[in-house]
Amino acid sequence: MKYIDEYRDAKLVKDIARQIEAAVDPARSYHFMEFCGGHTYAISRYGLEDLLPSNVQMIHGPGCPICVLPIGRIDAAIELAIRPEITLCTYGDLMRVPCSNGLSLLKARSAGADIRMVYSTLDSLSIAEAEPNRQVVFFAIGFETTTPPTALALRFAIAKDLANFSIFSNHVLTPAAIKTILENSDVHPLGPIKIDGLLGPAHVSTVIGTQPFEVLAEEFNKPIVVAGFEPLDVIYSILMLVRQVNDGVHKVENQYIRAVTTLGNEKAKCEIANVFELRESFEWRGLGAIPHSALGLRSKYAKYDAEKRFEMVTPAAQDNPACECGAILRGIKKPSDCKLFGKVCTPDSPMGSCMVSSEGACAAHWIYGRFRRQGKADESWRTVA
Ligand code: SF4
């Protein structure tokens, strides 16, 4: 398969791993954060950590959109969905995230709320068109990657004059989160974390380009390599980071040149700018309130903004005190540090958000890490070459 198999060539992957081994300075350690859940998934699935020298450590970051959404926002969506006139539409994984009072969107649906799983924003529009007597709310989440389709949905709703469609926007911004992590890496109450460089997000960068990361690399003296999601992409990007650290430089490099440019997708950025504006502050699970880190609908679209239209309130909600998602999303702890991991918390019965989506650190670690150690990993990719 073109553009897939070439990037899963086991011989090449091992060759790059040997180059990393030859390049690292045995007298020092290297700590690299993979911001994006897609990288966490790839590292776990293909066993890439096993190929790295022991002084090269990968740290999970907060780049799973479901994981970083605080419980209060889902509680607010449930409160909305139980109103009799409302139909709430959202993506599948979000349905299973545990929230307050032992509820989830899935359980709220079982209790009678009209909550429907959709595959795209257009599905929500179709429901609104087909059922004009229902108030259809699209529960929008995600980083810069999923924001343009939400913006387009609003444009289509206006064009079709759909008075019964609105958006509960929870779109968040990657550079703001990276900045917060780097700013607080030495002083956070949960403990310091050493970061020598970052694997930059790939899908996000197809939209915003590599340019927004340049100021971060400069301000914090950290190399950032925007990396694709296949094993060869990831391992080669780690080699690029090692080389930058060795050379004492800190610049943004683009490994994922087949999809990412410096400026990104101007059309998509334009759609986002037309519809959304920066929120002053937004709460992230594990990271707290981050200024200018999320997008709300522009005031001229207030009648399509579910938060204004239905006077939604985000309740203050506490995570399960035994769950370590917050520390994992900051990269301070690993999934196996959580006492619930693999015991009461598994992908079939998640206790925290990191165990829900396959891009969550706990789910990736459970599905691939644990079984890899038992010799039951998906080894099929290794036979490709
Ligand atoms: S194992 Fe479960 S409870 Fe523990 S941090 Fe991960 S998601 Fe949270």
Side-chain angles (χ1 to χ4, degrees):
M1 206 186 307
K2 195 152 173 58
Y3 298 124
I4 299 287
D5 291 346
E6 304 92 315
Y7 295 94
R8 296 182 183 178
D9 183 324
K11 189 168 166 303
L12 278 178
V13 170
K14 286 175 185 164
D15 183 48
I16 304 294
R18 278 190 286 272
Q19 289 185 49
I20 293 174
E21 196 156 6
V24 294
D25 175 354
R28 61 155 301 160
S29 57
Y30 301 76
H31 299 84
F32 300 133
M33 174 174 274
E34 83 268 3
F35 178 88
C36 181
H39 292 140
T40 302
Y41 171 85
I43 288 166
S44 296
R45 176 173 178 189
Y46 297 109
L48 299 180
E49 267 179 317
D50 294 353
L51 300 176
L52 298 175
S54 59
N55 58 339
V56 178
Q57 304 265 318
M58 300 307 295
I59 305 160
H60 306 304
C64 160
I66 288 164
C67 303
V68 295
L69 191 65
I71 284 176
R73 300 294 283 183
I74 309 176
D75 288 344
I78 290 175
E79 192 280 322
L80 188 66
I82 58 180
R83 300 188 203 181
E85 74 277 20
I86 303 282
T87 295
L88 186 81
C89 297
T90 195
Y91 298 129
D93 278 347
L94 196 52
M95 306 270 288
R96 302 194 309 121
V97 177
C99 41
S100 300
N101 306 319
L103 272 177
S104 64
L105 289 164
L106 205 55
K107 287 180 182 166
R109 185 172 74 173
S110 304
D114 185 2
I115 300 172
R116 305 193 201 172
M117 196 183 88
V118 292
Y119 291 101
S120 77
T121 53
L122 298 182
D123 292 344
S124 311
L125 288 173
S126 301
I127 292 169
E129 260 187 304
E131 301 181 42
N133 295 327
R134 306 284 306 157
Q135 284 293 333
V136 176
V137 179
F138 178 61
F139 188 174
I141 68 157
F143 292 92
E144 292 87 339
T145 326
T146 53
T147 312
T150 305
L152 276 178
L154 180 63
R155 191 137 73 81
F156 291 162
I158 293 168
K160 289 169 184 270
D161 203 17
L162 282 178
N164 64 331
F165 179 78
S166 56
I167 292 168
F168 177 34
S169 174
N170 293 273
H171 286 298
V172 289
L173 301 173
T174 309
I178 292 179
K179 185 170 193 294
T180 292
I181 289 171
L182 294 177
E183 267 172 356
N184 296 297
S185 60
D186 294 332
V187 295
H188 194 270
L190 286 175
I193 174 169
K194 185 160 169 34
I195 299 174
D196 296 301
L198 287 115
L199 284 186
H203 288 150
V204 162
S205 302
T206 62
V207 175
I208 64 173
T210 58
Q211 193 180 48
F213 301 115
E214 286 170 9
V215 64
L216 299 173
E218 183 65 32
E219 182 179 350
F220 296 101
N221 296 340
K222 305 289 181 198
I224 298 175
V225 174
V226 172
F229 291 115
E230 295 301 332
L232 196 53
D233 292 316
V234 175
I235 199 99
Y236 191 70
S237 299
I238 294 170
L239 176 62
M240 292 165 80
L241 284 172
V242 167
R243 285 175 174 160
Q244 281 207 51
V245 170
N246 286 350
D247 294 344
V249 294
H250 42 82
K251 58 187 179 188
V252 176
E253 289 184 290
N254 180 13
Q255 180 277 331
Y256 199 37
I257 50 173
R258 62 192 186 280
V260 170
T261 61
T262 305
L263 296 179
N265 183 328
E266 294 292 359
K267 208 167 174 187
K269 288 194 293 185
C270 200
E271 289 291 345
I272 293 172
N274 281 339
V275 167
F276 292 102
E277 61 190 7
L278 281 177
R279 292 179 189 268
E280 272 189 20
S281 180
F282 193 79
E283 184 78 21
W284 292 57
R285 191 194 295 249
L287 304 186
I290 306 180
H292 302 135
S293 66
L295 298 171
L297 264 59
R298 288 190 177 278
S299 50
K300 65 180 172 180
Y301 299 121
K303 70 175 181 172
Y304 295 97
D305 186 340
E307 286 180 82
K308 294 189 176 124
R309 187 171 183 163
F310 302 108
E311 297 179 357
M312 294 177 70
V313 187
T314 302
Q318 294 295 320
D319 289 332
N320 178 335
C323 170
E324 299 276 16
C325 280
I328 288 165
L329 290 166
R330 294 196 75 88
I332 292 165
K333 292 192 175 178
K334 287 187 178 289
S336 50
D337 295 331
C338 176
K339 288 194 202 86
L340 307 184
F341 177 78
K343 299 184 179 86
V344 290
C345 186
T346 66
D348 286 337
S349 58
M351 303 294 288
S353 59
C354 295
M355 194 57 99
V356 174
S357 152
S358 62
E359 294 191 352
C362 296
H365 197 70
W366 173 256
I367 295 167
Y368 297 109
R370 173 176 175 270
F371 292 110
R372 187 174 71 242
R373 283 199 301 280
Q374 293 177 2
K376 295 178 186 170
D378 171 7
E379 296 282 324
S380 56
W381 72 281
R382 294 177 190 275
T383 62
V384 170

